[in-house]
Amino acid sequence: MHAEEEEESQAFVRARWRHLVRTAYLLTGDPHDAEDLTQTALAKAYRSWRRVSRSDRPEAYVRKVLVSCNSDRFRKRRIPEWLTGAPPDTSARSDTAVQWAGERTALTAALATLPPRQRAVVVLRYWEDLAEAEVAEALGCSPGTVKSQASKGLAKLRAHPGLALLRDTDGPSTVAETRKTMEQGARR
C-alpha cells in the first residue's frame, strides 16, 4: 500500500470509527464485541483498501463487511446467540437521564430478542437511515425481504415488555421518526 492510500485509510478510520462502533453495538448488544467486530471489519477493508476507496460509497462497503462479519461470528462458533453486557455510558445525571438509561437498556434488550437478520435490518434501516435498496445490498437480499423483516422486527420491538418507547398506537410514521425514537432511547 502506498503512503497516500495508507493515510487515506487512516483518515477514514478516524472519521468513521465511533459511528461504525455504534452500529456494531446495535448489532451485537455488547460494547466489547462491537469494538472487536468493528476492528475485524476495518482490518478486512484495509486489506482491500484500493477496492474500498474506489467504490462510490466506501462507508457502505465497510458497513456491508461489518454486517457480514457479524453474521460470520455465529456461523463459525456454531453456538446459540446470547447478547449480554450493559450499554456504554450508562451514568445518569438527572431523573430524566435515569429514565432514558432505562429506555436504552430496554431497547438493547429488545434488539437482542430479534433474530440476527431482523436486527440487522432494523439497525441499518432505522438507525443508519439507509434506503431499503441499500439495506438489501448490504445484506444480500431483496428489498421485499427488507420490508418484511423491518415490519416484523418493529412489531416485535413494539410488543416487547418494558419498551414503551415505540409503543404508540400508530407507531412512528417515517423512517426518520423511527430512527429519532430509537436514537433517543439508545443514547440517553
Side-chain angles (χ1 to χ4, degrees):
M1 186 180 285
H2 295 94
E4 182 180 303
E5 291 173 333
E6 176 78 28
E7 179 55 38
E8 184 183 346
S9 70
Q10 289 178 8
F12 176 84
V13 170
R14 283 191 299 272
R16 303 310 301 158
W17 172 258
R18 289 185 59 179
H19 183 77
L20 291 168
V21 168
R22 200 172 338 179
T23 300
Y25 173 72
L26 291 170
L27 291 171
T28 64
D30 181 84
H32 305 292
D33 287 343
E35 287 189 4
D36 289 345
L37 180 61
T38 305
Q39 288 174 358
T40 301
L42 288 171
K44 287 184 177 188
Y46 177 80
R47 286 194 299 259
S48 55
W49 186 252
R50 279 194 180 131
R51 188 174 343 126
V52 174
S53 64
R54 282 188 239 149
S55 73
D56 293 339
R57 301 180 336 254
E59 185 173 354
Y61 188 103
V62 174
R63 190 181 307 111
K64 186 173 184 175
V65 173
L66 186 76
V67 170
S68 177
C69 288
N70 185 52
S71 297
D72 290 348
R73 292 183 323 133
F74 301 106
R75 283 188 205 125
K76 290 179 182 175
R77 290 185 194 167
R78 303 228 188 270
I79 58 173
E81 179 179 357
W82 298 100
L83 299 176
T84 62
D89 304 328
T90 58
S91 62
R93 295 184 181 156
S94 69
D95 291 340
T96 305
V98 170
Q99 178 186 0
W100 279 109
E103 291 288 345
R104 178 178 53 210
T105 302
L107 178 59
T108 303
L111 280 171
T113 65
L114 298 178
R117 178 165 278 214
Q118 281 180 8
R119 184 176 335 119
V121 167
V122 169
V123 168
L124 294 176
R125 183 77 175 107
Y126 300 106
W127 180 267
E128 294 293 329
D129 203 18
L130 297 180
E132 289 166 351
E134 292 173 310
V135 175
E137 180 184 337
L139 297 177
C141 64
S142 71
T145 301
V146 171
K147 289 178 185 178
S148 67
Q149 293 296 302
S151 176
K152 290 175 186 176
L154 287 177
K156 286 182 182 178
L157 289 176
R158 286 185 185 112
H160 191 273
L163 189 62
L165 185 68
L166 295 175
R167 211 174 289 127
D168 296 338
T169 307
D170 298 326
S173 59
T174 65
V175 171
E177 288 177 24
T178 303
R179 181 177 187 268
K180 182 178 177 183
T181 303
M182 288 180 68
E183 194 172 272
Q184 288 172 342
R187 285 192 178 168
R188 293 189 178 157

